Amino acid sequence: MDGLARDKEVMLARHLRARGIDDERVLAAMAAVPREEFVAEHARQYAYADRPLPIEEGQTISQPYIVAFMAQSAQVEQGDRVLEIGAGSGYGAAVLGRLAARVDTVERHSRLAEQAAERMSRLGYNNVHVHSADGTWGLPEGAPFDAIVVTAAGPSVPPPLLEQLAPGGRLVMPVEGSYGHQQLLLVRKDVDGRVTETPLLGVAFVPLVGEHGHPGGGIETDQQNRQHIY
């Protein structure tokens, strides 16, 4: 067993199972996706460390525990259609792709979207589709979604995402409170369209930039500038 394989076993046992990740499908997905393929070359040796790692455009790849926790909290089933906001390197979408029938992931940085799409194609994640756009608008043409996972923190849940969540659907997103504190929320929409929010844990994510999030200086935030990458 090489070093990365040993590190993956430690990740699964110590950082996931021991901390309450008990959904066997989520654990299997985390075991199957090669995280080292989604980080920079100089960071490959740290791929399975339980910490976020920097990627291009000033963004990060979340620590494995948070990726697993969000997937488990979203309760993704095998036949689900899932929307992810904030593709980043594509790692989270790849994990979700092992759980769902189809994943659409939206990334505002076109360079990151192109890199994520290349990885999906190269690694064979054919049910994961990458789009370059302002993710705070969601993906109206793909709605409704059984689950939505947002990997950046906003002041509130963007209304378009709530609209695109199917009855019975789950949305997991970090939302900002006072003094810069972020809380990961589980949002449920019942069959009558009523929405409830449950706080899960404190987190630290990059800002959700877009028309329904934080202003971003005009970077990749035009809803009309939507592009399907893969």
Side-chain angles (χ1 to χ4, degrees), residues 19-189:
R19 297 180 65 188
I21 304 300
D22 55 10
D23 185 320
E24 292 298 331
R25 294 184 66 243
V26 171
L27 289 165
M30 296 293 292
V33 176
R35 193 167 188 257
E36 66 272 19
E37 297 293 337
F38 294 87
V39 302
E41 184 65 32
H42 66 82
R44 284 174 67 93
Q45 62 182 315
Y46 307 114
Y48 295 100
D50 194 44
R51 68 185 196 187
L53 294 172
I55 59 174
E56 294 82 3
E57 306 296 340
Q59 305 300 296
T60 59
I61 177 174
S62 294
Q63 69 189 93
Y65 172 73
I66 291 295
V67 174
F69 185 88
M70 293 178 77
Q72 179 167 282
S73 298
Q75 300 174 358
V76 179
E77 301 292 338
Q78 191 169 5
D80 283 354
R81 291 174 56 90
V82 177
L83 174 64
E84 181 193 51
I85 305 302
S89 70
Y91 176 67
V95 171
L96 293 168
R98 302 285 303 192
L99 301 170
R102 178 184 172 111
V103 176
D104 287 280
T105 183
V106 183
E107 172 55 54
R108 73 185 184 92
H109 293 288
S110 58
R111 180 186 177 199
L112 291 182
E114 291 165 2
Q115 291 173 336
E118 184 279 328
R119 292 184 180 106
M120 299 305 166
S121 177
R122 175 165 50 85
L123 297 172
Y125 292 99
N126 299 319
N127 66 330
V128 178
H129 304 271
V130 183
H131 310 264
S132 178
D134 174 358
T136 67
W137 284 98
L139 193 70
E141 62 267 32
F145 296 97
D146 301 293
I148 299 176
V149 175
V150 184
T151 66
S156 61
V157 179
L161 300 187
L162 291 176
E163 294 168 6
Q164 293 168 36
L165 189 62
R170 295 81 54 202
L171 181 151
V172 179
M173 174 181 169
V175 173
E176 296 159 352
S178 56
Y179 306 107
H181 176 73
Q182 297 178 10
Q183 185 77 36
L184 193 67
L185 295 182
L186 170 62
V187 180
R188 294 179 180 272
K189 180 188 282 188

Side-chain angles (χ1 to χ4, degrees), residues 170-223:
R170 295 81 54 202
L171 181 151
V172 179
M173 174 181 169
V175 173
E176 296 159 352
S178 56
Y179 306 107
H181 176 73
Q182 297 178 10
Q183 185 77 36
L184 193 67
L185 295 182
L186 170 62
V187 180
R188 294 179 180 272
K189 180 188 282 188
D190 68 18
V191 293
D192 296 317
R194 290 187 294 264
V195 172
T196 58
E197 296 183 354
T198 303
L200 299 175
L201 78 164
V203 290
F205 278 81
V206 296
L208 178 67
V209 174
E211 184 151 345
H212 296 279
H214 292 287
I219 301 174
E220 302 289 343
T221 57
D222 182 0
Q223 167 67 0

